[in-house]
C-alpha cells in the first residue's frame, strides 16, 4: 500500500456501505436437482437505480440488461458460458455470405407482441431503420454501415452492409437490438423513453413509476423462447416487481427481512455475512471491455504520449480492487475483460511501476513542485476524470487519485448525472472518463474506439487502430481476426489511449427460495438478467 492510499481505507469502508455500482446481471440461484419448477408467485427485485430511458434499444445504462430484457426478444441468443455459441430465437435460421457483408434472416411465423400485433420481416426492417435514426441510441451503433434492408418474403429479410461485418450476428442477440411492436415504433424516441416499450418477450409492463417501481406481468401464450432456456411455454412467475433502492445497506435489509427476493449490487462489506446466513451471493463477470479510464488524446497534457504512459503504469490495480471493492472485482489485465473472446493478457504491460512513471515524467520535462504536483512550462500536471455519479465510482477513483498523486499528477473528480455525462462524451468534454461496454465479441473495441463510431479516444483519422479495427470486423478467418485484435489491444496499451482499472464483477444476492435465474452474454451494462426460467420454491 502506498503512503497516500493508507489513509483512504477507513473512509472507503464507510463510503461502501452506501455504495452502488455501475454493473448489472444475475447469476442462477442454487437449485436442488430433485425440485420441479412450479408456476405462480411474484418475484421482487431490488435494483440500485432505474435507467433514465426505459427503452432497451436506446438506453446506455442498463435497462436492457435487467428489466428491459424481460420485455423484448432478439433475432438470436448468445451463450454466456460459450460466447461463440449463437442460437435461433425470433429468427429460426439465417445465412451469411462468404465475406459477411450480407445476412438473411428467416423469422418464426408464430410470434406476437404483447399488444397482439404479429412479428414479420417488415416489423424487423422498421425496427432497425427507426433505431438507426435515433441519435446516441445504444443499439444504433450496431447498425452502422447498412446499405439496404430488403424484404425477401413476409418472413424473410436481407440486410446488406457496405463492408464485411463479422460481429453483426453476435449483436443481434443483444437487448439493444431487441424487437419492439409497431405500436412502439410509431412513438417518438422521447415517448418511448418515458413510457416503455411493447415487446414480444415473456413479460409485459403492467405499471411503471420512474425511479420507484415497475411491475411486469406474465405474457399469456408465450412459446418462442430460445434454445438456451431450460423450458418452453409461458414464464413460471406471474409477476416481477422491480423496486428502486439506491442504498446498498437498505437493499441488504430488504433481502434479509424477505421484502425482496433478489438484490442488485450487493455491498462488498455485506456479501460475507449474507453468504454465511444462507443467501446466495453470485459474482458475475462482464464480457466486453474492462472498466477503463479512456483518454481524450486531443487536448491538454494527455496529448503527450509520455504523460499517458506514465499514468498507465502509475495505477496499482490490485490496491484499487482491495481498497475500493474488498477484493470482489478483478484487477484489469487488458482493455478487454477475461471472459471476452480474443482477450489478450497484457498484465506485464500494466504492471504497477511508480518509479518508472516518475523517471518517464522527469525525462519528459515535468519537474516536481513544492506541493508534490509536477509542472512543465508553467503548467501543472492537472487532469480531470468525468464519471457517472455513483458512490462506488467515486470510491475507486479516490484511490486512483491518491496513487497518481504519488508520481506528481493532480487528478480532479467530476461526477456527472446521466444526461450531463452523455453530453460530455458526445462533445468530447473530458480529459479522462470512466467507461465500459458489454458485448460478447471483440468488436466491442471498434464500437467504442473507432473514429467512425464513438471515437472515445478523440483520435485523428490517420491513427494506428482504425485500419485493424475495420479489418477484424471484415475477416472471416478466425486466426487472422485473433491476430488483428491482439495487435489492437497491444497498440491501445502501448500508445496509452486507455487506462484499464478492473474487470467488472457485479454481486447479486438472492433468497434460497429463488431458483433458476440465469443470465445472457451481454448488454449495454453487463450480462443480461434472465427471469424467464425463474420460479419460487416453497
Amino acid at each position: 500500500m502506498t503512503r497516500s492510499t493508507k489513509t483512504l481505507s477507513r473512509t472507503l469502508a464507510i463510503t461502501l456501505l452506501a455504495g452502488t455500482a455501475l454493473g448489472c446481471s444475475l447469476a442462477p440461484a442454487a437449485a436442488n436437482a430433485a425440485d420441479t419448477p412450479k408456476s405462480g408467485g411474484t418475484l421482487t427485485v431490488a435494483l440500485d437505480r432505474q435507467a433514465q430511458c426505459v427503452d432497451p434499444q436506446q438506453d446506455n445504462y442498463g435497462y436492457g440488461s435487467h428489466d428491459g430484457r424481460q420485455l423484448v426478444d432478439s433475432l438470436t441468443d448468445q451463450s454466456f458460458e460459450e460466447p461463440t455459441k449463437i442460437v435461433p430465437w425470433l429468427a429460426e435460421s439465417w445465412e451469411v455470405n462468404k465475406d459477411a457483408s450480407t445476412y438473411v434472416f428467416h423469422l418464426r411465423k408464430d410470434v406476437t407482441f404483447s399488444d397482439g400485433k404479429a412479428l414479420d420481416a417488415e416489423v424487423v426492417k422498421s425496427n432497425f431503420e427507426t433505431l438507426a435514426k435515433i441519435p446516441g441510441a445504444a443499439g444504433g451503433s450496431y447498425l452502422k454501415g447498412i446499405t439496404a434492408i430488403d424484404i425477401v418474403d413476409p418472413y424473410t429479410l436481407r440486410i446488406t452492409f457496405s463492408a464485411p461485418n463479422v460481429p453483426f450476428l453476435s449483436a443481434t442477440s443483444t437487448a439493444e437490438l431487441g424487437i419492439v411492436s409497431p405500436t412502439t415504433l410509431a412513438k417518438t424516441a422521447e415517448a418511448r423513453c418515458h413510457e416503455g416499450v411493447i415487446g414480444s418477450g415473456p413479460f409485459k409492463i403492467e405499471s411503471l413509476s420512474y425511479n420507484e417501481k415497475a411491475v411486469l406481468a406474465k405474457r399469456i401464450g408465450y412459446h418462442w423462447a430460445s434454445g438456451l432456456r431450460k423450458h418452453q411455454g409461458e414464464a413460471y412467475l406471474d409477476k416481477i416487481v422491480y423496486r428502486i433502492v439506491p442504498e446498498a445497506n437498505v437493499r441488504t435489509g430488504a433481502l434479509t427481512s424477505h421484502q425482496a427476493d433478489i438484490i442488485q449490487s450487493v455491498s462488498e462489506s455485506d456479501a460475507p455475512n449474507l453468504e454465511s446466513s444462507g443467501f446466495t451471493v453470485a459474482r458475475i463477470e462482464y464480457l466486453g471491455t474492462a472498466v477503463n479510464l479512456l483518454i481524450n488524446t486531443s487536448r491538454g497534457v494527455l496529448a503527450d504520449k509520455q504523460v499517458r504512459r506514465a499514468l498507465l503504469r502509475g495505477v496499482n490495480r490490485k490496491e484499487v480492487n482491495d481498497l475500493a471493492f474488498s477484493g470482489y472485482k478483478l484487477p484489469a489485465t487488458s482493455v478487454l475483460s477475461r471472459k471476452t473472446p480474443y482477450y489478450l493478457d497484457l498484465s506485464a504491460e500494466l504492471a504497477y511501476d511508480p518509479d518508472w512513471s516518475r523517471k518517464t515524467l522527469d525525462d519528459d520535462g515535468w519537474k516536481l513542485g513544492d506541493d508534490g504536483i509536477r509542472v512543465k512550462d508553467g503548467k501543472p500536471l492537472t487532469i480531470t476524470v468525468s464519471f457517472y455519479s455513483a458512490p462506488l465510482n467515486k470510491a475507486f477513483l479516490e484511490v486512483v487519485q491518491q496513487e497518481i498523486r504519488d508520481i506528481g499528477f493532480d487528478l480532479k473528480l467530476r461526477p456527472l448525472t446521466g444526461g450531463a455525462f452523455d453530453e460530455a462524451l458526445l462533445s468530447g468534454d473530458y480529459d479522462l472518463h470512466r467507461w465500459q461496454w458489454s458485448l460478447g465479441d471483440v468488436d466491442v473495441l471498434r464500437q467504442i474506439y473507432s473514429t467512425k463510431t464513438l471515437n472515445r479516444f478523440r483520435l485523428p483519422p490517420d491513427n494506428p487502430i482504425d485500419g485493424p479495427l475495420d479489418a477484424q470486423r471484415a475477416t472471416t478467418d478466425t486466426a487472422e481476426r485473433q491476430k488483428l485484435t491482439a495487435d489492437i489491444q497491444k497498440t491501445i496499451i502501448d500508445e496509452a489511449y486507455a487506462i484499464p482499472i478492473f474487470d467488472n464483477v457485479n454481486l447479486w444476492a438472492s433468497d434460497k427460495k429463488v431458483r433458476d435465474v440465469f443470465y445472457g452474454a451481454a448488454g449495454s451494462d453487463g450480462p443480461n438478467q434472465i427471469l424467464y426460467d425463474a420460479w419460487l420454491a416453497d
Side-chain angles (χ1 to χ4, degrees):
M1 188 179 291
T2 63
R3 60 184 181 274
S4 54
T5 51
K6 288 179 183 177
T7 59
L8 284 175
S9 56
R10 184 163 29 180
T11 302
L12 287 171
I14 297 171
T15 304
L16 286 169
L17 289 174
T20 60
L22 284 183
C24 59
S25 185
L26 193 56
N32 186 327
D35 286 348
T36 301
K38 66 172 189 174
S39 297
T42 296
L43 181 76
T44 300
V45 182
L47 301 176
D48 60 5
R49 58 189 169 85
Q50 173 70 66
Q52 291 186 325
C53 177
V54 291
D55 178 354
Q57 288 187 357
Q58 294 188 65
D59 182 66
N60 287 290
Y61 300 104
Y63 185 71
S65 296
H66 29 80
D67 26 357
R69 178 76 278 184
Q70 320 313 320
L71 303 173
V72 296
D73 301 326
S74 302
L75 293 179
T76 66
D77 201 3
Q78 182 177 26
S79 169
F80 180 80
E81 292 77 15
E82 302 175 62
T84 57
K85 181 179 180 181
I86 308 290
V87 304
W89 197 351
L90 295 182
E92 59 186 7
S93 64
W94 54 82
E95 296 97 45
V96 185
N97 70 344
K98 186 174 181 180
D99 71 351
S101 62
T102 300
Y103 290 74
V104 177
F105 292 96
H106 304 277
L107 306 179
R108 295 182 61 129
K109 300 178 177 65
D110 57 350
V111 176
T112 61
F113 297 94
S114 59
D115 60 359
K117 296 186 183 297
L119 173 79
D120 59 21
E122 187 62 49
V123 171
V124 177
K125 173 181 167 74
S126 296
N127 264 260
F128 290 170
E129 290 179 340
T130 300
L131 176 58
K133 296 175 184 176
I134 300 177
S141 62
Y142 301 133
L143 305 175
K144 292 185 182 297
I146 290 179
T147 58
I149 302 179
D150 300 309
I151 304 299
V152 178
D153 64 46
Y155 292 97
T156 305
L157 73 158
R158 180 174 55 246
I159 302 175
T160 304
F161 290 87
S162 58
N165 187 350
V166 172
F168 181 65
L169 191 63
S170 177
T172 63
S173 72
T174 65
E176 289 71 43
L177 290 187
I179 306 302
V180 299
S181 167
T183 304
T184 294
L185 296 176
K187 296 182 178 182
T188 65
E190 292 76 14
R192 290 167 58 170
C193 274
H194 295 131
E195 299 169 12
V197 301
I198 297 170
S200 65
F203 294 91
K204 62 182 180 179
I205 296 175
E206 181 176 283
S207 63
L208 177 65
S209 178
Y210 175 68
N211 225 18
E212 292 182 9
K213 177 182 176 183
V215 179
L216 307 187
K218 174 167 66 176
R219 278 282 313 276
I220 303 302
Y222 183 88
H223 61 273
W224 45 85
S226 90
L228 293 177
R229 307 282 68 85
K230 288 189 67 175
H231 83 288
Q232 292 295 316
E234 297 173 1
Y236 294 123
L237 297 169
D238 289 334
K239 291 186 180 182
I240 305 169
V241 176
Y242 290 99
R243 293 189 177 276
I244 311 306
V245 183
E247 298 81 13
N249 58 334
V250 178
R251 289 195 299 278
T252 296
L255 180 65
T256 56
S257 63
H258 304 291
Q259 298 177 67
D261 303 308
I262 301 170
I263 61 172
Q264 181 189 32
S265 300
V266 177
S267 165
E268 284 83 358
S269 59
D270 288 345
N273 291 333
L274 286 172
E275 288 183 302
S276 65
S277 299
F279 295 94
T280 300
V281 177
R283 298 174 57 155
I284 306 305
E285 294 183 41
Y286 280 41
L287 285 76
T289 69
V291 172
N292 289 270
L293 300 181
L294 304 189
I295 296 176
N296 184 343
T297 63
S298 69
R299 73 180 198 182
V301 299
L302 292 175
D304 183 338
K305 177 179 175 178
Q306 294 304 101
V307 171
R308 301 197 302 268
R309 296 181 77 186
L311 181 61
L312 182 77
R313 300 294 289 269
V315 176
N316 185 336
R317 290 157 182 83
K318 183 179 186 305
E319 185 173 73
V320 172
N321 184 42
D322 290 344
L323 281 178
F325 305 118
S326 300
Y328 278 97
K329 308 291 187 185
L330 296 169
T333 53
S334 185
V335 291
L336 292 174
S337 70
R338 292 161 175 79
K339 285 186 67 68
T340 308
Y342 301 132
Y343 152 85
L344 179 68
D345 186 351
L346 294 171
S347 52
E349 289 79 357
L350 296 176
Y352 178 53
D353 193 343
D355 290 336
W356 185 92
S357 295
R358 293 185 188 101
K359 184 178 186 306
T360 298
L361 292 171
D362 287 340
D363 293 346
D364 200 38
W366 291 94
K367 305 302 181 185
L368 203 60
D370 294 338
D371 59 355
I373 303 302
R374 292 177 181 268
V375 178
K376 180 178 179 180
D377 298 330
K379 295 181 180 179
L381 193 56
T382 299
I383 53 178
T384 299
V385 57
S386 301
F387 61 96
Y388 189 95
S389 182
L392 280 188
N393 277 339
K394 182 173 182 288
F396 93 79
L397 288 169
E398 284 177 343
V399 180
V400 174
Q401 182 182 51
Q402 294 301 320
E403 287 179 343
I404 65 174
R405 187 177 181 87
D406 281 349
I407 58 175
F409 280 88
D410 177 22
L411 178 65
K412 299 186 182 302
L413 307 189
R414 183 193 184 200
L416 299 170
T417 58
F421 186 55
D422 283 343
E423 290 174 9
L425 297 191
L426 290 172
S427 65
D429 179 22
Y430 55 86
D431 297 329
L432 295 168
H433 76 84
R434 181 258 194 234
W435 190 255
Q436 73 179 112
W437 190 263
S438 186
L439 180 68
D441 188 275
V442 73
D443 192 57
V444 69
L445 297 174
R446 186 189 59 84
Q447 298 285 343
I448 303 173
Y449 304 142
S450 170
T451 61
K452 301 170 187 176
T453 53
L454 299 179
N455 195 14
R456 292 293 194 233
F457 299 145
R458 295 285 154 172
L459 296 172
D462 58 339
N463 68 78
I465 62 172
D466 262 3
L469 285 171
D470 286 342
Q472 65 79 28
R473 185 193 193 207
T475 184
T476 57
D477 184 325
T478 55
E480 176 64 13
R481 195 168 190 231
Q482 184 165 11
K483 180 183 182 302
L484 286 165
T485 54
D487 289 343
I488 293 165
Q489 292 170 74
K490 289 176 184 176
T491 300
I492 289 173
I493 296 304
D494 183 61
E495 296 290 332
Y497 292 150
I499 314 297
I501 305 296
F502 60 90
D503 286 3
N504 213 346
V505 178
N506 197 229
L507 301 182
W508 290 77
S510 57
D511 191 282
K512 61 183 179 181
K513 71 178 180 180
V514 180
R515 307 292 174 83
D516 291 342
V517 176
F518 297 106
Y519 45 100
S524 61
D525 195 27
N528 292 167
Q529 172 185 307
I530 307 293
L531 297 180
Y532 167 70
D533 286 318
W535 57 284
L536 300 174
D538 294 328

